Amino acid sequence: MRAILVSLLAILMPGLAWAGVVWRGDFETGNTSQYTRAQLVSADRLQVVSSPVYQGRYALKATVKQGDDPINSSGNRNELVYQGYEKEGSEYYYRWQVLFPQDYPSVKTWQVFTQWHHDGCCGSPPVEFFVYGEEIRLTLTDSVTPWKTALVRGQWQDFILHVKWSSDPAVGFIELWHNGQRVLSRYAHATMYAGDGIYLKLGLYRSDTVLPMGVVYHDGFVQGTRLEDVLPPVTQPPPDAGTPDAGAPDAGTPVPGPDAGSGEPDAETPPIVPTSPLPDTGATPPTLEEEPPRVGCSSAGGPLWMVGLLGLGGLLRRARRR
């Protein structure tokens, strides 16, 4: 019976840790070791820097020049790759921040800064964020673009993406928050190609027709199974902080999100999800000259676990009777 107990715990214990942060790619290691591998032509194209940053001490500076083609493929790129846990039917929240410097090139073609690529050899990524001219766009399979917004330079852009990964458009969906505002309610669409896996690519990948050098900064990437996993922790006031003004909103308390089971779009303006405040970059956003040298679906836990152990107890009792 001990062998049965060990086997049952081996099955149930992973569920206890399933809810929570799955992975961090926030560069707080001071390097790119959180990622699986890099696709780059030289070390200066993907640098971990200490300024500018959105959170913590470090961020990634990704640089692409015309002709950068480390994998002998279409376009020019320098990207980090992370082989994640996305499988058919899995569901995750992702949060990360991106900053486009004031001299970021404006070109009427694609410049991808974050993408979830498929294992297959060909075709556009199932989920990708890219700059086109003066717009930021989110595009899915079949070249569907459910969201776009104006490109803003010199300010950190905060994204939270909620994805149900599936090749079935009746199952898969996405949901998006931008700078603390939900800008896309649950949008049903295929988020994978049938039979393919998914992996993250972060950096800059663009058409080889773009001439000027491009630089983009990434920070704070985190993947979790719940919305609260990717939000900043609630900060408790110090003991002598006194009683807060009853009329002032509590900026550190998460606002309840929409009913996750409804799947219905909002008829009114979507609610704001609490995020870290955007840093005050001042009148003059960070420039390349200012940058210093390089440094460096739910939980299966409680109820299922308890039921499993109770059932095991019954097995043990019956075994003793025999």
Side-chain angles (χ1 to χ4, degrees):
M1 296 308 297
R2 178 173 295 180
I4 297 177
L5 175 60
V6 171
S7 300
L8 182 59
L9 290 178
I11 295 171
L12 296 177
M13 284 301 289
L16 298 178
W18 187 244
V21 172
V22 174
W23 173 71
R24 290 188 186 276
D26 55 8
F27 309 104
E28 290 307 295
T29 56
N31 53 39
T32 60
S33 61
Q34 294 164 309
Y35 290 79
T36 306
R37 63 182 183 274
Q39 297 174 340
L40 72 170
V41 296
S42 61
D44 66 331
R45 298 299 204 267
L46 294 175
Q47 293 179 293
V48 175
V49 298
S50 59
S51 177
V53 298
Y54 179 88
Q55 57 84 50
R57 297 180 298 165
Y58 301 110
L60 176 74
K61 176 186 177 183
T63 303
V64 172
K65 299 179 181 180
Q66 190 180 41
D68 286 356
D69 188 6
I71 61 173
N72 192 28
S73 184
S74 62
N76 297 155
R77 79 182 76 214
N78 291 293
E79 297 177 292
L80 292 174
V81 176
Y82 177 66
Q83 291 286 165
Y85 299 91
E86 296 85 353
K87 304 295 181 184
E88 177 74 36
S90 63
E91 184 174 345
Y92 295 105
Y93 289 84
Y94 307 87
R95 187 185 183 194
W96 75 107
Q97 295 82 39
V98 184
L99 185 145
F100 301 93
Q102 293 288 10
D103 61 353
Y104 189 83
S106 176
V107 186
K108 287 280 190 177
T109 189
W110 52 273
Q111 300 185 76
V112 179
F113 58 89
T114 307
Q115 59 173 312
W116 281 264
H117 208 282
H118 53 293
D119 290 337
C121 69
C122 310
S124 297
V127 178
E128 59 180 335
F129 287 81
F130 62 94
V131 172
Y132 185 90
E134 289 297 305
E135 291 182 341
I136 294 175
R137 296 182 179 182
L138 165 60
T139 296
L140 309 177
T141 61
D142 303 320
S143 300
V144 173
T145 301
W147 177 81
K148 59 184 178 180
T149 191
L151 171 65
V152 177
R153 295 175 175 83
Q155 297 179 18
W156 284 102
Q157 308 298 303
D158 183 37
F159 297 93
I160 299 177
L161 180 67
H162 177 201
V163 186
K164 176 83 168 188
W165 294 104
S166 178
S167 58
D168 184 348
V171 176
F173 66 79
I174 61 168
E175 191 175 17
L176 180 66
W177 290 260
H178 179 232
N179 293 339
Q181 180 74 24
R182 191 173 67 169
V183 294
L184 183 64
S185 298
R186 193 168 296 201
Y187 183 88
H189 196 81
T191 53
M192 301 177 73
Y193 296 124
D196 281 348
I198 289 289
Y199 59 93
L200 171 70
K201 302 191 76 176
L202 196 74
L204 185 57
Y205 167 47
R206 66 187 197 179
S207 168
D208 56 14
T209 62
V210 181
L211 297 177
M213 179 179 73
V215 173
V216 63
Y217 295 89
H218 293 270
D219 200 2
F221 203 103
V222 59
Q223 175 184 355
T225 58
R226 303 168 302 180
L227 178 60
E228 52 265 38
D229 298 331
V230 301
L231 295 177
V234 176
T235 303
Q236 298 296 331
D240 59 350
T243 303
D245 181 1
D250 179 6
T253 303
V255 178
D259 179 6
S262 66
E264 295 294 332
D266 290 349
E268 304 296 336
T269 303
I272 294 176
V273 171
T275 61
S276 298
L278 289 176
D280 182 7
T281 57
T284 305
T287 63
L288 299 180
E289 290 73 24
E290 294 170 351
E291 192 232 317
R294 176 184 178 182
V295 290
C297 336
S298 59
S299 171
L304 177 58
W305 179 65
M306 293 172 65
V307 169
L309 289 184
L310 288 173
L312 177 61
L315 289 175
L316 293 174
R317 284 194 297 271
R318 286 194 294 272
R320 291 191 189 99
R321 292 190 187 102
R322 289 195 296 267

